Amino acid sequence: MCELLAMSANTPTDLCFSFTGLTRRGGATGPHKDGWGVAFYEGKGVRAFHDADASASSRIAEVVQTHPIKSEVAICHIRQANVGEICLANTHPFMRELWGRYWVFAHNGQLSGFRPQPGFYEPVGSTDSEALFCDILNHLRSHCDRNTGTDDIVERLVRLSQAYASQGVFNLLLSNGDWLFTYCTTKMASITRRAPFGPARLKDADVTVDFESETTPNDIVSVIVTEPLTSDERWDIYQPGEWRLWRKGVVVRSGKSVE
């Protein structure tokens, strides 16, 4: 299994803080040592970093931890391989273009025997996760267009997620840069930080940040992760089958699959 991290409307301090905690789980405090990746939306562009080595000892991860990147959406993944070899092509998050936007996807879980329908998008690597991503985009490309409203797209994503979840573990992060869609079948938690800000301490590293001194009263940042990253904050735990649509740091739509 793997671990996920997403941030909506993040500040450079929040990003470096959360990313530092997650990368420690990639081979130091956790077993997820089979590669990692992170993608930051900057306008319509995406700044992406991938490495097939463990994130806890990655020199590339060190650069990202100390680089002040401001992004409205960021998606990160650390991998514990269960399907597909350990190589760069199999590191998440995966990215494709659709309707003039880059779509970024990361997945935690496993769908035994999953076979995507043939279509325009094809996986480069050998993971079931990338095959799932291509299947999602092929479905959207076949049934929607660039003028389809967000509500209609989200409804399709919910139905697809329910179908995938019926075949195995399917924890999902998906963004087109405008919004972030999350779906949980087993583990996912979130926290939204806004004024008045306070301090926070990482579980996986001896790092504490006082967000009040690093933010403005207008800042809002949300962190979505497989397991809570801090030990002194109250996290909101997703329920199995729960999905949320995030935009600019807040939930704008949510729901729960009917069992």
Side-chain angles (χ1 to χ4, degrees), residues 162-182:
Q162 292 170 338
Y164 297 139
S166 69
Q167 303 175 54
V169 177
F170 184 74
N171 299 305
L172 164 74
L173 304 174
L174 175 68
S175 181
N176 67 354
D178 180 40
W179 44 256
L180 170 70
F181 177 76
T182 61

Side-chain angles (χ1 to χ4, degrees), residues 98-99 103-105 132-133 135-141 143-144 149-165 170 172-176 179-184 241 243-245 253 257:
L98 174 65
W99 304 321
W103 293 59
V104 174
F105 169 99
L132 280 164
F133 182 35
D135 200 59
I136 290 170
L137 291 188
N138 282 329
H139 180 92
L140 294 180
R141 195 171 187 266
H143 295 88
C144 307
T150 300
D151 287 348
D152 290 339
I153 290 177
V154 169
E155 288 176 7
R156 287 190 177 274
L157 290 176
V158 171
R159 291 198 297 269
L160 286 170
S161 297
Q162 292 170 338
Y164 297 139
F170 184 74
L172 164 74
L173 304 174
L174 175 68
S175 181
N176 67 354
W179 44 256
L180 170 70
F181 177 76
T182 61
Y183 187 93
C184 171
W243 61 269
R244 300 177 190 176
L245 184 72
R253 283 194 62 186
S257 301

Side-chain angles (χ1 to χ4, degrees), residues 113-150:
F114 173 75
R115 294 291 182 271
Q117 295 295 316
F120 178 83
Y121 296 98
E122 298 181 6
V124 175
S126 54
T127 65
D128 55 346
S129 298
E130 189 182 14
L132 280 164
F133 182 35
C134 292
D135 200 59
I136 290 170
L137 291 188
N138 282 329
H139 180 92
L140 294 180
R141 195 171 187 266
S142 296
H143 295 88
C144 307
D145 59 37
R146 66 179 67 247
N147 297 315
T148 302
T150 300

Side-chain angles (χ1 to χ4, degrees), residues 48-108:
F49 302 86
H50 293 82
D51 194 345
D53 294 331
S55 58
S57 56
S58 169
R59 296 296 299 274
I60 299 174
E62 289 181 19
V63 172
V64 177
Q65 289 174 27
T66 58
H67 192 62
I69 298 174
K70 184 175 177 60
S71 168
E72 285 203 350
V73 179
I75 292 179
C76 181
H77 180 278
I78 54 175
R79 184 175 183 233
Q80 184 179 10
N82 50 28
V83 176
E85 64 181 313
I86 300 170
C87 65
L88 197 60
N90 286 337
T91 59
H92 308 217
F94 302 106
M95 182 170 64
R96 298 290 193 278
E97 180 275 333
L98 174 65
W99 304 321
R101 283 184 174 271
Y102 288 121
W103 293 59
V104 174
F105 169 99
H107 166 244
N108 169 18

